Amino acid sequence: MVVLKTARELRCMRAAGRISQRALRLAGQAVEPGVTTKEIDDIVRKYIEEQGATPSFLGYGGFPASACISVNNVVIHGIPSEKCVLKQGDIVSIDVGAFYDGFHGDNAWTFACGDVSAEKQALMKATEESLFIGIKQAVVGARIGDIGHAVQEYVELRSYSVVRDFVGHGVGAKLHEDPSVPNYGTPGRGVRLMPGMAIAIEPMVNMGSHEVRKLDDGWTTVTADGKPAAHYEHTIAITPDGPVILTLPD
Ligand code: MG
């Protein structure tokens, strides 16, 4: 069931989104060779808790950290660890959610650790751009399939692939609400977008094939072919004036 939000609720969501975006930026600023993903997770948790908010992911389904930190061939749900030391040339996808005043904000970004290869830079750029291509489709009267189709077409024209096994989602009082927001689809198909919907659009793009597999820890999801992946996400509101990004710093 899709839960529509009132204008007041969307304002609350903007506050949660602001905290999650600022935490994500702090995390990104900490990305450099020699830093562990555990240290970055600590920064995220500390910032969110200082704002009087709660890290959305901590304990969610048993997830043991505040941020998902996914390096290179890890697509999503990487578990921060003191054993995971970042090195020059890594690309680091960080996914952060904050729960504040009854609502969640959810966002993700892929950061470069020092100088990264031109190949990885191109993957990051295309994935980031595909997010904004998807957001542009999120207008009243359009359908979920319009978003997925736009993202998929943009990504596949550049010979990358979109992950099928994980998708974007509605966001609100719960971290994951209806509808699902796949990064693939058919124009004109799926749930119709209405004012008051809030959704996370989050392209996960692989340099090679779209296939992924989960490691034995039950979380870490890697590309099946070992090639790098990137991940960008914003929480947005559907409004009569067009899509509004809720995960902005101010
Ligand atoms: Mg999400």
Side-chain angles (χ1 to χ4, degrees):
M1 187 189 66
V2 173
V3 184
L4 299 178
K5 281 80 181 174
T6 64
R8 191 199 70 81
E9 289 170 328
L10 288 176
R11 278 195 297 278
C12 293
M13 287 195 67
R14 193 189 274 276
R18 184 183 303 130
I19 295 168
S20 60
Q21 166 66 202
R22 288 181 177 165
L24 180 60
R25 288 190 174 209
L26 282 174
Q29 284 161 12
V31 169
E32 59 178 302
V35 170
T36 70
T37 54
K38 170 76 167 71
E39 288 172 279
I40 295 173
D41 186 63
D42 289 344
I43 291 167
V44 167
R45 181 174 183 166
K46 181 166 177 282
Y47 178 77
I48 291 174
E49 290 181 346
E50 279 170 0
Q51 309 313 306
T54 310
S56 302
F57 303 167
L58 186 62
Y60 186 90
F63 190 75
S66 299
C68 298
I69 307 184
S70 307
V71 182
N72 295 329
N73 64 315
V74 182
V75 184
I76 50 164
H77 300 165
I79 300 174
S81 160
E82 50 202 8
K83 287 185 199 139
C84 182
V85 184
L86 298 180
K87 53 188 195 312
Q88 182 86 238
D90 286 343
I91 57 171
V92 185
S93 298
I94 304 179
D95 194 344
V96 170
F99 181 74
Y100 181 75
D101 203 11
F103 292 94
H104 292 274
D106 188 6
N107 60 178
W109 207 257
T110 301
F111 300 95
C113 183
D115 295 324
V116 307
S117 68
E119 264 186 315
K120 282 178 172 172
Q121 280 178 39
L123 173 71
M124 291 165 67
K125 183 165 176 276
T127 311
E128 180 185 345
E129 287 170 352
S130 77
L131 167 61
F132 290 95
I133 296 280
I135 290 173
K136 228 184 243 178
Q137 302 296 319
V139 295
V140 173
R143 290 181 184 266
I144 285 291
D146 297 325
I147 298 173
H149 175 75
V151 170
Q152 180 176 23
E153 186 177 62
Y154 191 84
V155 165
E156 292 182 351
L157 270 171
R158 284 151 187 79
S159 302
Y160 303 129
S161 56
V162 292
V163 169
R164 274 39 164 196
D165 292 8
F166 296 89
V167 297
H169 49 91
V171 189
K174 293 198 189 124
L175 180 59
H176 293 117
E177 295 184 351
D178 287 337
S180 289
V181 185
N183 298 300
Y184 52 89
T186 308
R189 289 289 191 76
V191 172
R192 193 180 287 281
L193 303 180
M194 287 179 287
M197 283 173 69
I199 56 174
I201 301 179
E202 51 175 321
M204 291 153 255
V205 174
N206 294 352
M207 193 179 283
S209 101
H210 71 82
E211 280 154 61
V212 299
R213 69 186 171 84
K214 205 182 278 183
L215 301 187
D216 290 342
D217 62 23
W219 287 103
T220 311
T221 299
V222 300
T223 57
D225 59 14
K227 292 185 179 172
H231 179 207
Y232 291 77
E233 172 182 34
H234 271 306
T235 299
I236 64 146
I238 313 294
T239 81
D241 303 323
V244 173
I245 300 175
L246 298 173
T247 37
L248 289 177
D250 43 40

